[in-house]
Amino acid sequence: MGKKENIRKKSPPPTNQSVKNIYPTPPPSPVKTLNNGRTNGSTTTGNNCASTATKDLWDNLFDGGYRADVTIKTDNGDTIYAHANVLGMASPVLRGMLKRSKGCGEKKPISIHGVHQDAVQVFIRFLYSSRYENEEMKEFVVPLLVLSHAYNVPQLKRVVEVELENGLLNTENVVDIFQLSLLCNAPRLTLISHRMILKNFKAVVATEGWRSMRNSHPGLEKELLESVIEEENNQKERIRKSKERKIYLELFESMEALVHICRDGCRTIGPHDKDFTQNQVPCKYRACKGLELLVRHFAGCKLRVPGGCIHCKRMWQLLELHSRLCADSKACRVPLCRNFKEKIRKQSKKDEIKWKLLVKKIMGTKRIRGSVSFLVSSNSISS
């Protein structure tokens, strides 16, 4: 430690001219990685420690079959040559198959059936270099999902799930992918495909995949139909609640505008001691204009009795609603506020329950618009 400190003291501080000579040249910036893991150079990218040259070497090993000791038979009778060490390290299932295999000579035969020979080729190549072509993935995404699960290759399984989520999942294959995701223990893929079925149900029902599922798994079709009905009901309920909230919000805004008109005045209407000037600040209450017309009608209507005029009836209801929301009727400047407070005490229990429920719903809008001074507290409503 002492020697190092002496060295630091003796070395002069670097100048602008000597900086380049002291510090090493920084490494080049990482090359952007494509979807299939290929890069535009030989530099490493992200957390992938294998360079492009190394992956090319593994590809060449697979393509050339140098000292291959395994033969893979496919459905159409073709043979794919591979190396037991690579297959065994990449897949525990293939390792077990190779242990049980008894071949003639140096090469051990195994078979992979049920998928196209080209899909097997893409699968084995991925075990070597973790590479694939976009067109190959697009064409064989379904068999690759099956192979990744059947031979326990989680890396390929994650790649297939990401590719499906990023665009390869469509209305034509979504039913097949949904069934496979249930069998292949891919919960995220199950959720994504299920959402797509619900969102595009009419188009999905017309596909060949849905007709095949109907014949092979009628129970699954029934569950999907039930989930579609449930989703439609939930959608209707969300719309109903949204409309309900909109009505309560409009009533809340009307209460704000009513207090504003009676206390502060707006445009050409307000308390008698209000001085209406020509240059007024624009009104911020959306309900103020409509409420102003309603107040003017109420003031001049000849049938100003509940039930005699539909507009006056609405005004009576707004005044009563305000009195139930008002925190201080003695200081309130809204007409008839105190009178309605007295009337409330004489109302029937049935009417009282209806009004309390309405007031409780409107009070909920305080969370949207913030607290307002004229509102009563929540405790006084529930009591």
Side-chain angles (χ1 to χ4, degrees):
M1 290 298 292
K3 290 182 179 181
K4 290 183 179 179
E5 290 175 358
N6 293 333
I7 292 172
R8 290 196 186 101
K9 290 179 181 178
K10 292 180 180 180
S11 59
T15 61
N16 294 335
Q17 290 78 11
S18 61
V19 168
K20 293 182 180 179
N21 298 329
I22 293 175
Y23 298 109
T25 305
S29 301
V31 182
K32 183 178 180 182
T33 304
L34 304 179
N35 289 338
N36 58 2
R38 295 184 185 272
T39 60
N40 297 326
S42 61
T43 57
T44 59
T45 59
N47 60 355
N48 184 6
C49 298
S51 66
T52 303
T54 304
K55 290 186 175 184
D56 289 340
L57 185 64
W58 284 105
D59 272 345
N60 292 334
L61 179 64
F62 172 66
D63 293 333
Y66 177 70
R67 290 194 173 184
D69 54 357
V70 177
T71 57
I72 303 172
K73 297 293 182 181
T74 60
D75 280 346
N76 61 349
D78 288 346
T79 301
I80 300 174
Y81 294 95
H83 302 80
N85 290 337
V86 177
L87 300 184
M89 291 298 297
S91 167
V93 178
L94 290 174
R95 187 188 312 151
M97 294 172 63
L98 290 170
K99 287 181 179 180
R100 295 190 299 270
S101 176
K102 296 180 180 180
C104 300
E106 297 181 355
K107 292 183 172 60
K108 295 183 178 182
I110 60 173
S111 299
I112 297 179
H113 298 296
V115 296
H116 194 274
Q117 186 257 344
D118 291 340
V120 179
Q121 184 92 6
V122 175
F123 172 66
I124 300 300
R125 179 183 296 278
F126 187 90
L127 299 184
Y128 274 77
S129 62
S130 299
R131 277 182 171 177
Y132 60 91
E133 297 294 337
N134 290 331
E135 290 300 320
E136 293 174 340
M137 177 61 70
K138 185 176 180 180
E139 183 178 359
F140 301 116
V141 64
V142 174
L144 286 176
L145 176 61
V146 175
L147 290 171
S148 67
H149 177 74
Y151 293 95
N152 195 9
V153 185
Q155 183 184 1
L156 176 59
K157 193 174 184 180
R158 286 193 296 269
V159 169
V160 172
E161 288 177 351
V162 170
E163 292 289 350
L164 284 167
E165 187 174 353
N166 291 339
L168 293 186
L169 186 66
N170 53 57
T171 55
E172 292 297 325
N173 64 11
V174 66
V175 176
D176 295 332
I177 297 298
F178 177 70
Q179 296 179 84
L180 285 175
S181 65
L182 294 173
L183 297 173
C184 297
N185 191 24
R188 178 171 176 80
L189 194 56
T190 302
L191 177 63
I192 294 171
S193 56
H194 184 257
R195 285 178 176 175
M196 178 174 280
I197 292 173
L198 297 182
K199 188 177 180 180
N200 307 277
F201 182 68
K202 291 184 179 180
V204 172
V205 171
T207 61
E208 183 64 30
W210 183 274
R211 288 190 287 270
S212 299
M213 181 189 66
R214 180 184 298 163
N215 296 329
S216 59
H217 299 91
L220 186 57
E221 182 197 25
K222 183 180 178 181
E223 290 181 7
L224 282 174
L225 290 174
E226 290 175 352
S227 64
V228 169
I229 295 173
E230 183 180 359
E231 178 63 21
E232 290 178 352
N233 293 335
N234 292 338
Q235 181 69 16
K236 291 178 181 178
E237 183 65 15
R238 285 193 293 268
I239 293 173
R240 185 190 68 79
K241 289 184 176 181
S242 177
K243 291 180 178 179
E244 190 179 79
R245 283 193 299 269
K246 185 178 179 182
I247 292 172
Y248 294 138
L249 184 58
E250 289 175 353
L251 286 172
F252 182 85
E253 292 175 347
S254 298
M255 294 297 99
E256 284 186 314
L258 180 62
V259 173
H260 164 63
I261 290 174
C262 298
R263 183 181 59 193
D264 308 321
C266 183
R267 297 185 182 92
T268 60
I269 188 171
H272 60 85
D273 55 348
K274 175 71 175 178
D275 181 21
F276 295 97
T277 59
Q278 294 296 329
N279 299 324
Q280 293 189 43
V281 179
C283 183
K284 66 177 182 179
Y285 298 99
R286 294 186 300 175
C288 202
K289 187 175 181 179
L291 193 60
E292 179 182 341
L293 296 175
L294 188 61
V295 171
R296 289 189 180 279
H297 168 83
F298 184 73
C301 183
K302 301 289 180 68
L303 300 173
R304 198 197 310 166
V305 290
C309 172
I310 186 172
H311 301 293
C312 292
K313 182 179 180 180
R314 185 183 177 193
M315 190 66 204
W316 284 111
Q317 290 172 341
L318 290 176
L319 290 172
E320 182 171 358
L321 179 58
H322 164 78
S323 68
R324 291 177 175 274
L325 290 167
C326 185
D328 187 4
S329 59
K330 294 180 180 180
C332 181
R333 305 195 67 174
V334 176
L336 305 175
C337 182
R338 191 183 303 178
N339 295 33
F340 275 108
K341 286 284 187 183
E342 295 293 332
K343 180 185 174 183
I344 289 172
R345 300 173 185 174
K346 301 177 183 179
Q347 272 187 337
S348 64
K349 191 173 182 179
K350 185 178 180 181
D351 292 337
E352 183 68 15
I353 292 173
K354 290 181 180 179
W355 277 105
K356 279 190 175 182
L357 182 60
L358 177 60
V359 169
K360 185 177 180 181
K361 295 285 188 180
I362 295 175
M363 287 290 291
T365 59
K366 282 208 303 181
R367 293 191 294 271
I368 304 173
R369 298 295 297 270
S371 61
V372 182
S373 58
F374 70 85
L375 288 180
V376 296
S377 64
S378 303
N379 295 332
S380 62
I381 294 174
S382 58
S383 60

